[in-house]
Amino acid sequence: MTTRAADTTHAIAAGIDIGGTKIEVQVFDSAWTTIARQRVATPTNYPALLTAVTDVIGWARDQSASPLPVGIGAAGLVNPATGLALAANLPASGHPFPADIAEHAGQPVTYINDCRALAVSEAVFGAGQPYRTVASIIMGTGIGGGICIEGHILTGPTATGGELGHTAAPAHVVAAHNLPIVQCGCGRMGCIETLVAGPGLQRIAKHLTGADLSPQEIAARRHDDMAQVWDVWCALAAELVLGLTLTVDPDVIVLAGGLSRITGIADDLAKAAAAAQFGGFGIPPIVLAQGGDASGARGAAYVAWQDQHGANA
């Protein structure tokens, strides 16, 4: 799929969102509006993946009259000590993916986790715009997030900041309902992702009721026979909110991902988080992301543009 505007002379950056099934590149103008985009399928082996990403970078360059900073948002992590990628849904694990992309494309690229890219996009262009410190929680098949301060993603020496799903599930909630402690995809036991991500919500329902239901079916019945399941899930998810509040104290928490589309989820989560907070103290407002499908690519492009223009960008 390829679309382009009539005039791409004002392009200032390109962002690439690499997912398990598709790679999408978007070219942005100075108003951060998408003026051209292309989508291709994600290959299933590393050489083909590298070629596909290099090709879309070349396509993006062709849409501009001047060189473009290129940002890449992808699931997984890159170990800063080795440069090697760790990615569950891409055939890039164990490879120096960012360095290989830069070498094959013949230009520097900015590589960022896709959840952090979304956090930047929402902080600068979306629901987080009025706030200084913006935290995001992305709830889908996994759990991730990011923290932005004045439009800049908060980073550190391990490059693992924002991996909220791999903190431990709260012992008091797990024990109260005898919830299963299982191995996470990261290799650790008892990560909160195993109970709060979409498959985790299904796991809770199966454990408490014996029913095999999709997250959407559970949500649709949360005021009826799935009320306990939903209450337990909210209590677990509230601990993510409380953990962010007690450590970062953000001005706002932005929800994104597939589960965030459940009607009323922000209100339900806010009530549960308020109940978990110290008596008399508040929680940050919880709002829904606004960027939609453009967020990942736009966030990656913006970080690349920041890298090119310095710390004050």
Side-chain angles (χ1 to χ4, degrees), residues 1-4 23-26 36-41 59:
M1 181 195 76
T2 300
T3 62
R4 58 170 59 86
I23 298 169
E24 180 164 317
V25 57
Q26 297 184 39
R37 75 170 71 204
Q38 185 184 62
R39 179 181 293 184
V40 299
W59 179 87

Side-chain angles (χ1 to χ4, degrees), residues 221-305:
R221 292 160 56 176
R222 69 186 187 272
H223 300 300
D224 298 311
D225 58 331
M226 290 294 117
Q228 183 192 14
V229 171
W230 188 249
D231 287 346
V232 171
W233 182 88
C234 284
L236 290 162
E239 294 296 321
L240 282 175
V241 172
L242 187 58
L244 279 172
T245 304
L246 297 180
T247 53
V248 180
D249 202 13
D251 296 310
V252 68
I253 294 176
V254 179
L255 296 184
L259 294 184
S260 73
R261 300 189 186 103
I262 295 172
T263 302
I265 189 171
D267 291 339
D268 287 356
L269 188 50
K271 291 175 184 176
Q277 174 62 295
F278 300 141
F281 287 83
I283 61 165
I286 300 174
V287 301
L288 300 180
Q290 297 175 350
D293 291 341
S295 266
R298 185 169 57 186
Y302 186 75
V303 174
W305 182 85

Side-chain angles (χ1 to χ4, degrees), residues 18-302:
I18 304 178
T21 59
K22 57 91 177 172
I23 298 169
E24 180 164 317
V25 57
Q26 297 184 39
V27 179
F28 298 89
D29 64 13
S30 58
W32 292 97
T33 300
T34 301
I35 55 177
R37 75 170 71 204
Q38 185 184 62
R39 179 181 293 184
V40 299
T42 302
T44 56
N45 64 78
Y46 185 67
L49 175 65
L50 196 56
T51 297
V53 175
T54 303
D55 287 348
V56 297
I57 291 174
W59 179 87
R61 284 197 298 241
D62 290 343
Q63 310 311 305
S64 175
S66 58
L68 291 177
V70 174
I72 296 172
L77 300 170
V78 174
N79 189 327
T82 64
L84 301 181
L86 174 65
N89 66 343
L90 295 175
S93 286
H95 296 279
F97 194 30
D100 282 349
I101 294 170
E103 179 182 353
H104 282 72
Q107 73 169 81
V109 296
T110 296
Y111 193 94
I112 182 173
N113 171 272
D114 57 349
C115 292
R116 263 64 95 198
L118 185 143
V120 172
S121 183
E122 287 300 318
V124 177
F125 306 107
Q129 283 187 76
Y131 304 94
R132 176 180 181 270
T133 303
V134 179
S136 68
I137 302 177
I138 293 87
M139 297 177 165
T141 54
I143 301 290
I147 298 165
C148 286
I149 301 175
E150 295 183 345
H152 291 263
I153 193 72
L154 185 63
T155 59
T158 71
T160 58
E163 292 300 307
L164 310 174
H166 303 293
T167 56
H172 65 292
V173 181
V174 171
H177 302 282
N178 193 30
L179 298 175
I181 299 172
V182 301
Q183 187 173 40
C184 181
C186 74
R188 285 164 38 85
M189 294 294 294
C191 290
I192 196 167
E193 177 177 293
T194 64
L195 294 170
V196 172
L201 176 57
Q202 293 174 280
R203 182 173 286 120
I204 295 169
K206 178 68 173 177
H207 176 75
L208 294 179
T209 72
D212 286 309
L213 299 171
S214 70
Q216 294 75 21
E217 290 171 326
I218 296 166
R221 292 160 56 176
R222 69 186 187 272
H223 300 300
D224 298 311
D225 58 331
M226 290 294 117
Q228 183 192 14
V229 171
W230 188 249
D231 287 346
V232 171
W233 182 88
C234 284
L236 290 162
E239 294 296 321
L240 282 175
V241 172
L242 187 58
L244 279 172
T245 304
L246 297 180
T247 53
V248 180
D249 202 13
D251 296 310
V252 68
I253 294 176
V254 179
L255 296 184
L259 294 184
S260 73
R261 300 189 186 103
I262 295 172
T263 302
I265 189 171
D267 291 339
D268 287 356
L269 188 50
K271 291 175 184 176
Q277 174 62 295
F278 300 141
F281 287 83
I283 61 165
I286 300 174
V287 301
L288 300 180
Q290 297 175 350
D293 291 341
S295 266
R298 185 169 57 186
Y302 186 75

